[in-house]
Amino acid sequence: MRLIVQKDYETMSTWAAYYVARAIIKAEPKQNSPFVLGLPTGSTPLGMYRILTDLYNQGVISFRHVVTFNMDEYVGIPSDHPQSYRRFMQDNFFSSIDIPKENINFLDGNAPDPDEECRRYEQAIDSYEGIDLFLGGIGTDGHLAFNEPGSSLTSRTRVKTLAEETRVSNSRFFDHDISKVPQYALTVGVGTIMDAREVLILAYGHSKARALKHVIEEGVNHMWTVSALQQHRRATILCDEDATDELTVGTVKYFKQMEAPNLDPDKLLDSVRR
Ligand code: PGA
């Protein structure tokens, strides 16, 4: 697992957007061989979505042959609710780019049979022969998608009960009223994410520092589900300086030394523009 540390939120978001853009451009996706992206919601990826939208507006990248699978959705709130993840993605990304509607995949949090809905989602991912690049965030409790502490590290898409810590954290989007935060969500499993060909996790701010310590410096542990990525063939955690606050100085130095020379954000896109 790689760790890439950027100075602040803006440089982290730029790095992520350029990396994603480069991956799509390099794959040369076509109608019958699209690039398949797994996508997160939350506050962390907003900067990345903004910069990807800028790259689209500048004509650097197109999403015409990109297929997306969002990683999770709340159960029981209307799909046009301001906090539904479908609406979040529409407002913050999809409405501003050229992705065809039929290429966008979501879990339906109002499906009459949630288990069947989760099976359908796994089959839909399989029908594209898996996900090329799964992007994600990390919860303050170390969760990956809504795979809360104690989730099976081989889990597939299913219904999950949200942890108290997650509901408190997400209540900032629900008038700071935890009673308005749904109790359940549909989420891809840790195993679903582990099957992706590549995974990139974004972590921003001091509130993620405790989770990063467990995930990076300790072993694979179901209480910090992002730690499963230690066993992924191609996983990267991208963070800002504040998120490294609980790592040892030696760990941060080590990863910075390993990655610094060849991953300058400005060089990422240059390599495909030429
Ligand atoms: P955040 O959420 O980006 O809003 O911090 C991340 C997550 O819970 O996975």
Side-chain angles (χ1 to χ4, degrees), residues 40-45 71-72 85 136-141 143-146 166 169-170 172-173 202 204 207-208:
T41 53
S43 47
T44 309
M71 57 184 6
D72 43 22
Y85 288 164
I138 179 169
T140 53
D141 62 1
H143 69 210
L144 175 59
F146 274 135
T166 298
S169 170
N170 289 8
R172 68 194 195 275
F173 303 118
L202 276 57
Y204 152 66
S207 69
K208 305 295 170 70

Side-chain angles (χ1 to χ4, degrees), residues 75-76 108-120 159 186:
V75 166
D108 177 0
N110 293 297
D113 182 343
D115 294 336
E116 179 52 35
E117 172 62 5
C118 294
R119 276 193 293 276
R120 177 196 70 77
V159 184
L186 304 184

